[in-house]
Amino acid sequence: MAKRQLVLEDGTVFIGEGFGSERVTTGEIVFNTGMTGYQEVITDPSYYGQIVMMTYPLVGNYGINRDDFETVTPFIHGFIVKEVCDTPSNFRNEESLDHFLKAHDIPGIQGIDTRKLTKIIQKHGTMKAIIADLEPVAEELAEKVRNIVLPTDQVEKTSTIKPYVVPGRGQRIVMVDLGAKHGILRELTKRNCHITVVPHDYSAEAILRLKPDGIMLTNGPGNPKDVLVAIEMIKQVLGKNPIFGIGLGHQLLALACGADTEKMKFGHRGASHPVKDIKNSKSYLTSQNHSYVVREASLETTDLELTQISLNDNTVEGISHKLYPAFSVQYQPEASPGPEDTNYLFDEFLNMIKKNQVKNEEEAYA
């Protein structure tokens, strides 16, 4: 494997070996602490435009299989590991990680000190980076990286272009695709829901015309304040249908209700983040991937209430509306990868829908 370099915007240089695509790539560098689940991480649309580093030292040991994809097309810009396994061994393995990244033109670099890189990001925060050959001077690359303007259209790039239907005989759910993972569809279809997936910029009028029993706001990449069209849509459907938001959908629900969001120093990314439910005093292990968070103080002037917090840093992990049937969580209850402790939230969503239907029927006959 050819030698390549990873250069951070602060001028820090790491020399390693390239794998995957040989092209030059730039992006925001982030780290994921999961021990497994690299295939789901690579294919999670929420990582759009980012260079992802896995902190676990050996990656690729069980290869790539047909079942663990979270989207058809991976959107990451680069992949960093301590060591990539060239000889994966697993009964589901169909190709190596290196072969998969080559097929999707995603550059990777291995053999660098990932512990040192993690500490740099924890100390200085998320920063821009570049993976390139050894020929360019590192100082020139660092200057180039500093001048890069990060994209603001991540949701547009990862959302579906046209609506489509996943048939079912149960509750009719409109799923607003903000960069959705397949795991959300799996959980809804498991519960026999009839799902209509619509683009991120679908209007409130068009959504309500579909006569949904409930509305799902999915995960997705980027700054929630860049998705103004979705915020306006949520304002118009709030109170007319039960709403369940996940990840970016959670942040957008908060913004639509008058709360605020902010970017974290280096975010939450991994498969075992502890979260506490304030109402039932229970704690859960969750899968997380987010750079932005809802500001707890901003909830005070809204009709939202805090329902769950992170046990690592006390940041907001869950909210619910005091007047309308709407709630959301920052983490990924569909897991993929990670613990499935919070799958029950999909059942709570469907129970909320049933209660709302009963209420509407009682009001109609009153």
Side-chain angles (χ1 to χ4, degrees), residues 202-212 233 236-237 240:
Y202 221 54
S203 69
E205 179 185 1
I207 288 175
L208 295 175
R209 194 180 297 121
L210 294 171
K211 305 297 182 183
M233 176 274 293
Q236 296 179 41
V237 300
K240 298 178 181 177

Side-chain angles (χ1 to χ4, degrees), residues 27-43:
E28 187 178 48
I29 190 167
V30 298
F31 65 86
N32 184 294
T33 58
M35 296 175 64
T36 59
Y38 54 83
Q39 181 174 337
E40 293 94 329
V41 168
I42 292 171
T43 57

